[in-house]
PDB file of all heavy atoms in Angstrom:
ATOM      1  N   PHE A  69      50.441 149.917  65.640  1.00 96.00           N
ATOM      2  CA  PHE A  69      51.723 149.309  65.584  1.00 96.00           C
ATOM      3  C   PHE A  69      52.479 149.715  64.264  1.00 96.00           C
ATOM      4  O   PHE A  69      51.891 149.909  63.216  1.00 96.00           O
ATOM      5  CB  PHE A  69      51.650 147.821  65.561  1.00 96.00           C
ATOM      6  CG  PHE A  69      51.164 147.156  66.795  1.00 96.00           C
ATOM      7  CD1 PHE A  69      49.872 147.038  67.094  1.00 96.00           C
ATOM      8  CD2 PHE A  69      52.083 146.679  67.731  1.00 96.00           C
ATOM      9  CE1 PHE A  69      49.402 146.522  68.298  1.00 96.00           C
ATOM     10  CE2 PHE A  69      51.672 146.151  68.862  1.00 96.00           C
ATOM     11  CZ  PHE A  69      50.346 146.019  69.217  1.00 96.00           C
ATOM     12  N   ARG A  70      53.714 150.051  64.402  1.00 95.00           N
ATOM     13  CA  ARG A  70      54.578 150.376  63.293  1.00 95.00           C
ATOM     14  C   ARG A  70      55.875 149.584  63.373  1.00 95.00           C
ATOM     15  O   ARG A  70      56.816 149.866  64.035  1.00 95.00           O
ATOM     16  CB  ARG A  70      54.993 151.858  63.318  1.00 95.00           C
ATOM     17  CG  ARG A  70      53.803 152.827  63.027  1.00 95.00           C
ATOM     18  CD  ARG A  70      54.221 154.230  62.856  1.00 95.00           C
ATOM     19  NE  ARG A  70      53.082 155.135  62.588  1.00 95.00           N
ATOM     20  CZ  ARG A  70      53.127 156.409  62.363  1.00 95.00           C
ATOM     21  NH1 ARG A  70      54.370 157.026  62.381  1.00 95.00           N
ATOM     22  NH2 ARG A  70      52.072 157.099  62.152  1.00 95.00           N
ATOM     23  N   LEU A  71      55.795 148.353  62.865  1.00 92.00           N
ATOM     24  CA  LEU A  71      56.806 147.344  62.920  1.00 92.00           C
ATOM     25  C   LEU A  71      57.408 147.133  61.558  1.00 92.00           C
ATOM     26  O   LEU A  71      56.711 147.116  60.520  1.00 92.00           O
ATOM     27  CB  LEU A  71      56.316 146.001  63.503  1.00 92.00           C
ATOM     28  CG  LEU A  71      55.459 146.130  64.839  1.00 92.00           C
ATOM     29  CD1 LEU A  71      54.948 144.722  65.134  1.00 92.00           C
ATOM     30  CD2 LEU A  71      56.377 146.639  65.922  1.00 92.00           C
ATOM     31  N   ASN A  72      58.670 146.856  61.418  1.00 88.00           N
ATOM     32  CA  ASN A  72      59.270 146.499  60.206  1.00 88.00           C
ATOM     33  C   ASN A  72      58.843 145.059  59.825  1.00 88.00           C
ATOM     34  O   ASN A  72      58.315 144.275  60.654  1.00 88.00           O
ATOM     35  CB  ASN A  72      60.764 146.659  60.179  1.00 88.00           C
ATOM     36  CG  ASN A  72      61.536 145.743  61.084  1.00 88.00           C
ATOM     37  OD1 ASN A  72      60.907 144.912  61.744  1.00 88.00           O
ATOM     38  ND2 ASN A  72      62.838 145.855  61.125  1.00 88.00           N
ATOM     39  N   ASP A  73      59.125 144.641  58.612  1.00 83.00           N
ATOM     40  CA  ASP A  73      58.609 143.349  58.130  1.00 83.00           C
ATOM     41  C   ASP A  73      59.043 142.200  58.963  1.00 83.00           C
ATOM     42  O   ASP A  73      58.291 141.209  59.119  1.00 83.00           O
ATOM     43  CB  ASP A  73      59.062 143.147  56.681  1.00 83.00           C
ATOM     44  CG  ASP A  73      58.401 144.153  55.727  1.00 83.00           C
ATOM     45  OD1 ASP A  73      57.340 144.672  56.093  1.00 83.00           O
ATOM     46  OD2 ASP A  73      58.920 144.384  54.614  1.00 83.00           O
ATOM     47  N   GLU A  74      60.237 142.244  59.558  1.00 83.00           N
ATOM     48  CA  GLU A  74      60.735 141.128  60.332  1.00 83.00           C
ATOM     49  C   GLU A  74      59.966 140.885  61.618  1.00 83.00           C
ATOM     50  O   GLU A  74      59.924 139.802  62.177  1.00 83.00           O
ATOM     51  CB  GLU A  74      62.206 141.250  60.585  1.00 83.00           C
ATOM     52  CG  GLU A  74      63.072 141.140  59.323  1.00 83.00           C
ATOM     53  CD  GLU A  74      64.551 141.479  59.595  1.00 83.00           C
ATOM     54  OE1 GLU A  74      64.815 142.601  59.951  1.00 83.00           O
ATOM     55  OE2 GLU A  74      65.388 140.572  59.422  1.00 83.00           O
ATOM     56  N   LEU A  75      59.386 142.037  62.160  1.00 88.00           N
ATOM     57  CA  LEU A  75      58.686 141.885  63.424  1.00 88.00           C
ATOM     58  C   LEU A  75      57.137 141.707  63.212  1.00 88.00           C
ATOM     59  O   LEU A  75      56.424 141.475  64.199  1.00 88.00           O
ATOM     60  CB  LEU A  75      58.979 143.113  64.313  1.00 88.00           C
ATOM     61  CG  LEU A  75      60.396 143.280  64.852  1.00 88.00           C
ATOM     62  CD1 LEU A  75      60.496 144.543  65.689  1.00 88.00           C
ATOM     63  CD2 LEU A  75      60.740 142.051  65.706  1.00 88.00           C
ATOM     64  N   ARG A  76      56.679 141.834  61.970  1.00 89.00           N
ATOM     65  CA  ARG A  76      55.253 141.726  61.802  1.00 89.00           C
ATOM     66  C   ARG A  76      54.646 140.409  62.281  1.00 89.00           C
ATOM     67  O   ARG A  76      53.493 140.411  62.789  1.00 89.00           O
ATOM     68  CB  ARG A  76      54.936 141.856  60.268  1.00 89.00           C
ATOM     69  CG  ARG A  76      54.947 143.265  59.767  1.00 89.00           C
ATOM     70  CD  ARG A  76      53.698 143.976  60.312  1.00 89.00           C
ATOM     71  NE  ARG A  76      53.745 145.404  60.008  1.00 89.00           N
ATOM     72  CZ  ARG A  76      52.947 146.295  60.531  1.00 89.00           C
ATOM     73  NH1 ARG A  76      52.091 145.937  61.463  1.00 89.00           N
ATOM     74  NH2 ARG A  76      53.009 147.572  60.218  1.00 89.00           N
ATOM     75  N   PRO A  77      55.326 139.278  62.152  1.00 88.00           N
ATOM     76  CA  PRO A  77      54.668 138.059  62.649  1.00 88.00           C
ATOM     77  C   PRO A  77      54.349 138.002  64.104  1.00 88.00           C
ATOM     78  O   PRO A  77      53.484 137.267  64.536  1.00 88.00           O
ATOM     79  CB  PRO A  77      55.807 136.979  62.306  1.00 88.00           C
ATOM     80  CG  PRO A  77      56.580 137.589  61.165  1.00 88.00           C
ATOM     81  CD  PRO A  77      56.607 139.032  61.496  1.00 88.00           C
ATOM     82  N   ILE A  78      55.025 138.868  64.932  1.00 90.00           N
ATOM     83  CA  ILE A  78      54.731 138.825  66.402  1.00 90.00           C
ATOM     84  C   ILE A  78      53.862 139.919  66.804  1.00 90.00           C
ATOM     85  O   ILE A  78      53.612 140.128  68.021  1.00 90.00           O
ATOM     86  CB  ILE A  78      56.129 138.841  67.206  1.00 90.00           C
ATOM     87  CG1 ILE A  78      56.786 140.185  66.933  1.00 90.00           C
ATOM     88  CG2 ILE A  78      56.964 137.691  66.784  1.00 90.00           C
ATOM     89  CD1 ILE A  78      58.004 140.395  67.923  1.00 90.00           C
ATOM     90  N   GLU A  79      53.252 140.671  65.925  1.00 93.00           N
ATOM     91  CA  GLU A  79      52.319 141.759  66.309  1.00 93.00           C
ATOM     92  C   GLU A  79      51.183 141.231  67.161  1.00 93.00           C
ATOM     93  O   GLU A  79      50.893 141.915  68.162  1.00 93.00           O
ATOM     94  CB  GLU A  79      51.817 142.524  65.044  1.00 93.00           C
ATOM     95  CG  GLU A  79      50.878 143.609  65.384  1.00 93.00           C
ATOM     96  CD  GLU A  79      50.314 144.343  64.205  1.00 93.00           C
ATOM     97  OE1 GLU A  79      51.042 144.523  63.210  1.00 93.00           O
ATOM     98  OE2 GLU A  79      49.124 144.738  64.254  1.00 93.00           O
ATOM     99  N   PRO A  80      50.510 140.137  66.769  1.00 93.00           N
ATOM    100  CA  PRO A  80      49.388 139.698  67.684  1.00 93.00           C
ATOM    101  C   PRO A  80      49.868 139.345  69.119  1.00 93.00           C
ATOM    102  O   PRO A  80      49.141 139.668  70.070  1.00 93.00           O
ATOM    103  CB  PRO A  80      48.911 138.471  66.948  1.00 93.00           C
ATOM    104  CG  PRO A  80      49.324 138.604  65.573  1.00 93.00           C
ATOM    105  CD  PRO A  80      50.634 139.336  65.629  1.00 93.00           C
ATOM    106  N   LEU A  81      51.080 138.859  69.242  1.00 92.00           N
ATOM    107  CA  LEU A  81      51.635 138.546  70.566  1.00 92.00           C
ATOM    108  C   LEU A  81      51.885 139.808  71.379  1.00 92.00           C
ATOM    109  O   LEU A  81      51.650 139.914  72.570  1.00 92.00           O
ATOM    110  CB  LEU A  81      52.858 137.694  70.471  1.00 92.00           C
ATOM    111  CG  LEU A  81      52.545 136.283  69.841  1.00 92.00           C
ATOM    112  CD1 LEU A  81      53.905 135.568  69.528  1.00 92.00           C
ATOM    113  CD2 LEU A  81      51.753 135.383  70.716  1.00 92.00           C
ATOM    114  N   LEU A  82      52.481 140.803  70.688  1.00 93.00           N
ATOM    115  CA  LEU A  82      52.756 142.097  71.349  1.00 93.00           C
ATOM    116  C   LEU A  82      51.391 142.776  71.777  1.00 93.00           C
ATOM    117  O   LEU A  82      51.318 143.299  72.870  1.00 93.00           O
ATOM    118  CB  LEU A  82      53.438 142.990  70.346  1.00 93.00           C
ATOM    119  CG  LEU A  82      54.958 142.808  70.206  1.00 93.00           C
ATOM    120  CD1 LEU A  82      55.507 143.683  69.085  1.00 93.00           C
ATOM    121  CD2 LEU A  82      55.683 143.150  71.500  1.00 93.00           C
ATOM    122  N   ARG A  83      50.428 142.669  70.903  1.00 94.00           N
ATOM    123  CA  ARG A  83      49.129 143.256  71.195  1.00 94.00           C
ATOM    124  C   ARG A  83      48.553 142.652  72.441  1.00 94.00           C
ATOM    125  O   ARG A  83      47.985 143.255  73.363  1.00 94.00           O
ATOM    126  CB  ARG A  83      48.169 143.091  70.020  1.00 94.00           C
ATOM    127  CG  ARG A  83      46.795 143.640  70.238  1.00 94.00           C
ATOM    128  CD  ARG A  83      45.903 143.410  68.968  1.00 94.00           C
ATOM    129  NE  ARG A  83      46.491 144.038  67.833  1.00 94.00           N
ATOM    130  CZ  ARG A  83      46.148 145.319  67.466  1.00 94.00           C
ATOM    131  NH1 ARG A  83      45.341 146.035  68.228  1.00 94.00           N
ATOM    132  NH2 ARG A  83      46.683 145.892  66.410  1.00 94.00           N
ATOM    133  N   GLU A  84      48.593 141.259  72.487  1.00 94.00           N
ATOM    134  CA  GLU A  84      48.083 140.517  73.663  1.00 94.00           C
ATOM    135  C   GLU A  84      48.735 140.945  74.975  1.00 94.00           C
ATOM    136  O   GLU A  84      48.097 141.124  75.989  1.00 94.00           O
ATOM    137  CB  GLU A  84      48.237 139.070  73.455  1.00 94.00           C
ATOM    138  CG  GLU A  84      47.672 138.195  74.498  1.00 94.00           C
ATOM    139  CD  GLU A  84      47.911 136.722  74.242  1.00 94.00           C
ATOM    140  OE1 GLU A  84      48.272 136.343  73.068  1.00 94.00           O
ATOM    141  OE2 GLU A  84      47.655 135.918  75.176  1.00 94.00           O
ATOM    142  N   ARG A  85      50.059 141.147  74.920  1.00 94.00           N
ATOM    143  CA  ARG A  85      50.814 141.557  76.147  1.00 94.00           C
ATOM    144  C   ARG A  85      50.400 142.951  76.569  1.00 94.00           C
ATOM    145  O   ARG A  85      50.192 143.191  77.748  1.00 94.00           O
ATOM    146  CB  ARG A  85      52.323 141.543  75.808  1.00 94.00           C
ATOM    147  CG  ARG A  85      52.948 140.178  75.789  1.00 94.00           C
ATOM    148  CD  ARG A  85      53.161 139.721  77.190  1.00 94.00           C
ATOM    149  NE  ARG A  85      53.787 138.363  77.118  1.00 94.00           N
ATOM    150  CZ  ARG A  85      54.212 137.711  78.245  1.00 94.00           C
ATOM    151  NH1 ARG A  85      54.071 138.350  79.404  1.00 94.00           N
ATOM    152  NH2 ARG A  85      54.720 136.549  78.203  1.00 94.00           N
ATOM    153  N   ILE A  86      50.246 143.856  75.702  1.00 94.00           N
ATOM    154  CA  ILE A  86      49.856 145.231  76.003  1.00 94.00           C
ATOM    155  C   ILE A  86      48.476 145.322  76.608  1.00 94.00           C
ATOM    156  O   ILE A  86      48.108 145.954  77.603  1.00 94.00           O
ATOM    157  CB  ILE A  86      50.011 146.226  74.803  1.00 94.00           C
ATOM    158  CG1 ILE A  86      51.502 146.242  74.368  1.00 94.00           C
ATOM    159  CG2 ILE A  86      49.488 147.549  75.076  1.00 94.00           C
ATOM    160  CD1 ILE A  86      51.712 146.997  73.050  1.00 94.00           C
ATOM    161  N   LEU A  87      47.549 144.530  75.951  1.00 93.00           N
ATOM    162  CA  LEU A  87      46.142 144.508  76.427  1.00 93.00           C
ATOM    163  C   LEU A  87      46.052 143.952  77.825  1.00 93.00           C
ATOM    164  O   LEU A  87      45.138 144.386  78.594  1.00 93.00           O
ATOM    165  CB  LEU A  87      45.296 143.635  75.441  1.00 93.00           C
ATOM    166  CG  LEU A  87      44.969 144.272  74.092  1.00 93.00           C
ATOM    167  CD1 LEU A  87      44.312 143.225  73.189  1.00 93.00           C
ATOM    168  CD2 LEU A  87      44.037 145.493  74.234  1.00 93.00           C
ATOM    169  N   GLY A  88      46.947 143.083  78.177  1.00 91.00           N
ATOM    170  CA  GLY A  88      46.963 142.495  79.514  1.00 91.00           C
ATOM    171  C   GLY A  88      47.427 143.441  80.620  1.00 91.00           C
ATOM    172  O   GLY A  88      47.226 143.167  81.795  1.00 91.00           O
TER     173      GLY A  88
END
Side-chain angles (χ1 to χ4, degrees):
F69 292 85
R70 294 187 179 183
L71 308 175
N72 66 1
D73 292 339
E74 289 175 298
L75 291 179
R76 279 293 172 192
I78 65 170
E79 179 180 325
L81 297 169
L82 281 171
R83 181 182 297 274
E84 182 180 347
R85 283 282 181 173
I86 295 172
L87 287 172

